[in-house]
Amino acid sequence: MNADLLACASFGNTPPWDQIDWPQCEREVRRLQARIVKATREGRWNKVKTLQWLLTHSFYGKALAVRRVTENQGKRTPGVDGEIWQAPGTKYRAIGTLQRRGYQPRPLRRVYIPKANGKLRPLGIPTMKDRAMQALYLLALEPIAETTGDPNSYGFRPARSTADAIGQCFLMLSKAQSPQWVLEGDIRGCFDHISHEWMLCHVPTDKKILRQWLKAGYIENRTLFPTEAGTPQGGIISPTLANLTLDGLEKLLLEKFPKSKTPSRKVNLIRYADDFIITGVSKELLENEVRPLVEQFLHERGLELSPEKTCITHIDQGFDFLGQHLRKRNGKLLIQPSKKNTLHFLEKVREVIYRNRGLSQEYLIRTLNPIIRGWANYHRHVAASDTFRKVDNLLWQSLWQWAKRRHSEKPRPWVLRRYWHPLGRKWKFAAQLERKTPDGKVVWFKLVNPAATKIYRHRKIQGAANPFDPHWRPYFEEREFFKKFGVHRPDTSDDPS
């Protein structure tokens, strides 16, 4: 009896969803993923295919795939068939439907979401079964992507973040001998224009299943449209497919411009999804040698640089990257929240305040706190103290207008005492809750103060770190420990990757 039958037999003929041994599922999947990493590094691609087949046909992998799509944020968003998996029995029966034989994906449901520049971004929503199949095959593809990926690629990868990308920018640009010129690259419609033929030739996954996903098409206004290029934004596996398409650019630049060459031209790549920067010692080097090389690399994959967003900038002039502004002043690199990102955040907050002008103060605080806390935590790794204080003052002005509008006939001191209270050393925008502490004290619900966010340097992940490799497990456990308890040891080492 194989492992799948044993797993099913241990629960009886119809085992319930809530009795699945999830730790055992995770252990078995991690074990197969570790073997995939080992085979990939050894170049044993037939072994890789065999291990991928075992993982995508295992009960453990299928169970984890169903759990992922039924517990994420999109679990209540149906595809073209209108189905969602909510009941435990439905979830368990869905495990048995994840079969390669006879599988035919449904077209995507096309919707549009607003972008920061006011335009709309097309989003394709697969059915629940197609999402689960993508999650299943992603379990077998992601270990390969992490093993072969560029060391300084940080977007849509486990255990990596924008803070790691900004940390690498600091290492590459902060020194006196660092390169002074930066090529800001942006790929036009990356997800929409990736060549299907290139992916089918180079992505190490089941070609038949991949072709079906790429050619499934989408439905908009009850009309079926074919897809001849690109990978749909909204699919679980799409970010990994995009990363696999763009991986190799850093290696190409390193071969063309080796660091050991004297004098070094200091060409370094830092990429987050389809946004990237490339450093260089001169504008001519980036314009005449680096940019044509990048354009040729992208052209082979059906992509091209955006002329409007791609430019070459001197570090003293400064540039925006991932919501941060990087600029050297008097030889010192200063990284701050960008004006565009800050203004977008303030516009969002003011819109929330305006929409809730007739609701209670407690509801307003509960709505604003996650927005303010998320924005402040995103920027807490850079020199953001001044920006936090300015934002705090602007928030106070918006809330004061909100309070005065509610009580236009009341004097200002009355309005102030109604919504602001002397808690600690400062007056704070807070609402008194009905419940009290066990000793009878009043419980206050306070607005998050961005100026109170502590600034600390982020410990950048090592470029070669692989979360699917057992040898790196102690390293990631240590990072999780410090992240959980908020304790960060001083890190003075410069990661050369």
Side-chain angles (χ1 to χ4, degrees):
M1 183 180 293
N2 60 28
D4 295 350
L5 295 178
L6 285 172
C8 295
S10 62
F11 300 129
N13 294 328
T14 56
W17 171 262
D18 54 6
Q19 290 185 6
I20 295 178
D21 188 353
W22 294 113
Q24 175 67 12
C25 291
E26 292 171 355
R27 284 193 297 270
E28 292 299 323
V29 169
R30 282 200 306 266
R31 182 180 63 84
L32 285 173
Q33 289 176 329
R35 295 179 65 189
I36 291 175
V37 170
K38 184 175 183 295
T40 301
R41 284 185 174 158
E42 295 173 352
R44 303 167 60 190
W45 292 105
N46 288 334
K47 183 69 172 179
V48 170
K49 291 181 181 180
T50 301
L51 293 170
Q52 285 183 311
W53 190 94
L54 289 174
L55 180 50
T56 55
H57 288 73
S58 69
F59 172 84
Y60 306 109
K62 295 176 181 179
L64 289 178
V66 173
R67 187 178 70 167
R68 174 172 180 175
V69 301
T70 56
E71 294 183 2
N72 59 13
Q73 293 183 350
K75 61 184 179 182
R76 294 187 179 89
T77 305
V80 293
D81 58 358
E83 292 185 2
I84 55 175
W85 298 340
Q86 287 186 314
T90 304
K91 296 177 184 179
Y92 191 83
R93 287 191 294 272
I95 297 175
T97 65
L98 304 184
Q99 302 288 340
R100 182 182 185 276
R101 179 177 297 179
Y103 171 67
Q104 182 64 44
R106 302 287 297 276
L108 306 172
R109 181 166 69 91
R110 174 62 64 90
V111 298
Y112 293 90
I113 58 175
K115 298 171 63 176
N117 57 7
K119 298 181 180 180
L120 296 177
R121 183 193 304 275
L123 193 69
I125 302 178
T127 64
M128 292 296 292
K129 181 177 179 179
D130 293 336
R131 272 179 263 176
M133 285 292 286
Q134 289 188 19
L136 175 61
Y137 279 82
L138 180 60
L139 290 174
L141 179 62
E142 208 167 24
I144 304 175
E146 285 299 303
T147 305
T148 61
D150 289 342
N152 289 304
S153 165
Y154 300 96
F156 304 119
R157 295 180 63 179
R160 298 188 179 218
S161 65
T162 55
D164 293 306
I166 296 299
Q168 181 66 14
C169 291
F170 180 83
L171 293 177
M172 293 295 101
L173 298 169
S174 61
K175 301 180 179 63
Q177 65 274 20
S178 297
Q180 301 296 307
W181 290 91
V182 175
L183 169 65
E184 304 173 60
D186 183 87
I187 302 173
R188 173 185 289 174
C190 178
F191 283 85
D192 298 329
H193 298 100
I194 301 176
S195 168
H196 286 180
E197 289 71 21
W198 191 94
M199 283 191 286
L200 290 170
C201 291
H202 296 89
V203 174
T205 190
D206 191 307
K207 307 300 181 184
K208 178 183 177 182
I209 298 295
L210 178 59
R211 181 182 294 276
Q212 289 177 325
W213 285 333
L214 297 177
K215 303 296 184 181
Y218 64 92
I219 292 180
E220 184 177 6
N221 296 328
R222 299 184 178 181
T223 304
L224 176 63
F225 296 89
T227 49
E228 301 299 333
T231 175
Q233 297 188 60
I236 291 178
I237 203 171
S238 296
T240 302
L241 294 177
N243 270 335
L244 286 167
T245 302
L246 298 176
D247 282 335
L249 179 57
E250 185 172 2
K251 181 181 178 181
L252 178 64
L253 291 172
L254 185 60
E255 293 175 352
K256 182 68 175 180
F257 309 101
K259 295 182 180 180
S260 59
K261 185 176 181 180
T262 304
S264 174
R265 301 202 235 179
K266 301 175 183 178
V267 176
N268 303 288
L269 169 72
I270 303 169
R271 180 171 65 85
Y272 189 93
D274 58 342
D275 293 328
F276 63 88
I277 64 170
I278 301 176
T279 64
V281 294
S282 68
K283 183 177 182 179
E284 292 73 18
L285 169 67
L286 295 176
E287 182 69 39
N288 300 327
E289 298 187 50
V290 174
R291 182 165 181 168
L293 190 66
V294 174
E295 290 176 341
Q296 180 183 356
F297 175 87
L298 295 177
H299 180 73
E300 295 173 358
R301 291 152 175 79
L303 302 172
E304 63 178 359
L305 291 174
S306 171
E308 299 82 11
K309 299 180 180 180
T310 302
C311 57
I312 299 175
T313 310
H314 194 276
I315 190 62
D316 291 344
Q317 181 182 350
F319 63 95
D320 291 348
F321 185 55
L322 303 178
Q324 316 285 5
H325 183 74
L326 297 88
R327 182 181 180 183
K328 263 191 176 180
R329 295 179 179 177
N330 299 322
K332 183 178 180 180
L333 181 66
L334 186 64
I335 306 178
Q336 296 176 306
S338 68
K339 291 183 179 180
K340 182 179 179 181
N341 181 274
T342 304
L343 290 175
H344 178 72
F345 162 74
L346 289 172
E347 290 174 0
K348 183 177 182 180
V349 168
R350 287 164 181 159
E351 182 182 358
V352 171
I353 294 175
Y354 180 78
R355 287 202 313 263
N356 294 281
R357 57 191 181 277
L359 300 180
S360 67
Q361 182 186 18
E362 179 185 346
Y363 181 85
L364 177 63
I365 294 175
R366 292 189 183 278
T367 306
L368 287 176
N369 273 357
I371 301 174
I372 299 173
R373 186 181 293 111
W375 179 81
N377 287 339
Y378 181 85
H379 295 289
R380 69 186 305 176
H381 308 297
V382 300
S385 297
D386 290 343
T387 305
F388 286 166
R389 284 191 290 268
K390 292 177 182 177
V391 166
D392 184 39
N393 291 332
L394 293 173
L395 284 176
W396 186 92
Q397 295 175 14
S398 298
L399 292 171
W400 177 247
Q401 295 297 326
W402 173 86
K404 286 198 305 179
R405 188 183 295 111
R406 292 167 65 92
H407 307 282
S408 57
E409 299 181 357
K410 294 290 185 180
R412 292 186 176 185
W414 186 93
V415 176
L416 180 66
R417 291 191 297 268
R418 172 68 174 79
Y419 294 103
W420 280 266
H421 306 276
L423 303 176
R425 298 181 179 180
K426 297 183 179 180
W427 286 66
K428 297 182 179 180
F429 189 78
Q432 181 178 339
L433 302 182
E434 296 182 358
R435 59 183 176 87
K436 295 185 178 181
T437 61
D439 54 356
K441 293 183 179 180
V442 175
V443 177
W444 294 95
F445 190 53
K446 297 176 289 186
L447 184 74
V448 170
N449 180 11
T453 304
K454 294 182 179 180
I455 305 296
Y456 66 88
R457 181 180 173 185
H458 177 74
R459 298 176 63 198
K460 192 191 85 69
I461 190 172
Q462 294 187 28
N466 188 340
F468 299 101
D469 189 342
H471 295 94
W472 286 96
R473 191 165 299 160
Y475 171 79
F476 285 102
E477 289 176 352
E478 181 187 21
R479 286 181 64 86
E480 286 298 320
F481 174 83
F482 289 116
K483 180 180 178 180
K484 179 178 180 180
F485 293 99
V487 180
H488 292 261
R489 297 183 302 181
D491 185 7
T492 57
S493 62
D494 291 343
D495 184 8
S497 60

